[in-house]
Amino acid sequence: VGRAPGKVESVASMEGQRKQYRNMFRLDPDTIPPLYFQTRVAALNIPGTQETWALLLRRLGRLRGFRPEAYLGDELSRLTMPVLILWGERDMAPTELGEESARRIRDCSFICMKGVAHFPFLEATDDCARLIIEFLATPGRSFQKEEFHHADK
């Protein structure tokens, strides 16, 4: 796999991950638990992982965003279950893209989280948990709390 020497390898380190998240995802890496980065670094150092990511990114993307044939937005209207989209206002993808996606889904709740970038579940864990619990507990949803207890039986 052709690549710039040291470019991919630098991402497979703690500092490389922190730099990537700061620059690419526009977030403060200090808001992410160190264990998350440690896990990512360990995964990136599994033989073949970096090459797989490089291939995947080439197939899906180009310099100015995703390839049109990789766009799945037209499929969103086929979703029939309730959907919750938690979007960071500072995400690398514009908020308008999230709002447009939400409009295509029949039963969708869209929440733009202030001060959050690309990973709301890592940057605002407590807020995300609360929003998800509220969403799941909303009367009229097709899944109710009782359905989540069957795994304990």
Side-chain angles (χ1 to χ4, degrees), residues 26 87-98 118:
R26 299 191 282 193
W87 200 275
E89 74 169 340
R90 293 183 10 247
D91 195 304
M92 60 188 187
T95 302
E96 295 78 29
L97 178 62
H118 188 68

Side-chain angles (χ1 to χ4, degrees), residues 54-75:
L55 177 63
L56 178 64
L57 292 174
R58 279 198 310 275
R59 295 266 172 96
L60 291 177
R62 54 185 185 190
L63 288 176
R64 300 202 187 275
F66 283 103
R67 296 180 183 281
E69 60 272 18
Y71 177 69
L72 299 176
D74 295 335
E75 301 296 320

Side-chain angles (χ1 to χ4, degrees), residues 35-153:
L35 181 59
Y36 177 80
F37 288 127
Q38 292 165 359
T39 304
R40 292 223 3 114
V41 169
L44 287 169
N45 282 296
I46 295 172
T49 301
Q50 293 176 41
E51 293 79 10
T52 301
W53 271 108
L55 177 63
L56 178 64
L57 292 174
R58 279 198 310 275
R59 295 266 172 96
L60 291 177
R62 54 185 185 190
L63 288 176
R64 300 202 187 275
F66 283 103
R67 296 180 183 281
E69 60 272 18
Y71 177 69
L72 299 176
D74 295 335
E75 301 296 320
L76 295 175
S77 64
R78 296 176 60 189
L79 296 176
T80 58
M81 74 292 290
V83 173
L84 172 64
I85 297 176
L86 300 178
W87 200 275
E89 74 169 340
R90 293 183 10 247
D91 195 304
M92 60 188 187
T95 302
E96 295 78 29
L97 178 62
E99 293 169 337
E100 170 61 25
S101 297
R103 280 193 289 276
R104 292 171 177 250
I105 301 169
R106 183 174 319 136
D107 185 6
C108 185
S109 298
F110 178 87
I111 299 173
C112 183
M113 298 179 70
K114 301 277 185 231
V116 174
H118 188 68
F119 297 99
F121 62 95
L122 292 173
E123 299 170 74
T125 306
D126 291 342
D127 289 337
C128 275
R130 179 183 52 76
L131 292 166
I132 292 168
I133 289 167
E134 288 172 4
F135 177 78
L136 294 173
T138 301
R141 293 281 179 228
S142 63
F143 37 75
Q144 294 297 317
K145 184 177 177 182
E146 296 78 36
E147 294 180 38
F148 292 98
H149 292 289
H150 76 288
D152 296 336
K153 292 180 182 176

